[in-house]
Amino acid sequence: MASLSLLWGWVLMAALSTGANASLVEQRPRWALVRRGQAETLSCFLRDAQYPYMSWYQQDLQGQLQVLASLRFSGDKEVISLPGADYQVTRVDDTELRLQVANVTQGRTLYCTAAKTQ
Ligand SMILES: *[C@@H]1O[C@H](CO)[C@@H](O)[C@H](O)[C@H]1NC(C)=O
């Protein structure tokens, strides 16, 4: 699992290796700092085709974890607006799940995962 942290004011996005799952997906960029209100595009790359369902999750500052989108097929797309951020998730191809984050005004952590089934 890779994760990104978004902080109030400036947005810090960092990849964290969290053990056994760390090699299943790879996030790029590894980290970034973005001004509040600006946009950023993040990509998650799948390294094991046996886990074709790719997902982005967010965890807000209160600790609430929720899925943003789980997408399987190339071209699949989902648009989600949540308090403090607008998201567009796109399954670019078999190995890439792109996350476009806009209008970021609240801190959060973003996680990319992959699974065998939805
Ligand atoms: C960002 O916010 C503006 C103003 O509310 C809105 O028009 C725009 O669609 C938002 N961007 C995204 C990607 O949702």
Side-chain angles (χ1 to χ4, degrees):
M1 182 184 287
S3 81
L4 310 167
S5 295
L6 310 186
L7 304 181
W8 174 265
W10 289 86
V11 179
L12 173 65
M13 299 183 289
L16 302 177
S17 293
T18 52
N21 285 337
S23 61
L24 186 57
V25 291
E26 181 186 334
Q27 163 209 312
R28 290 184 216 152
R30 297 289 301 277
W31 62 273
L33 205 54
V34 181
R35 270 190 184 280
R36 180 178 168 235
Q38 289 193 334
E40 180 65 45
T41 297
L42 313 165
S43 279
C44 180
F45 293 93
L46 183 66
R47 286 176 164 171
D48 186 340
Q50 290 188 331
Y51 297 80
Y53 286 89
M54 299 180 72
S55 305
W56 281 104
Y57 288 78
Q58 79 156 28
Q59 187 169 33
D60 64 24
L61 291 176
Q62 289 72 43
Q64 291 289 328
L65 185 66
Q66 73 181 90
V67 66
L68 299 173
S70 292
L71 301 178
R72 166 69 179 86
F73 299 104
S74 183
D76 287 353
K77 188 177 288 192
E78 214 162 303
V79 175
I80 308 107
S81 282
L82 293 172
D86 295 320
Y87 297 104
Q88 181 171 303
V89 187
T90 307
R91 186 66 184 254
V92 177
D93 54 32
D94 281 350
T95 59
E96 182 181 357
L97 187 67
R98 187 175 293 161
L99 178 66
Q100 292 163 277
V101 192
N103 295 328
V104 182
T105 58
Q106 291 174 16
R108 68 206 55 233
T109 303
L110 300 172
Y111 298 92
C112 176
T113 66
K116 287 187 176 177
T117 59
Q118 196 161 25

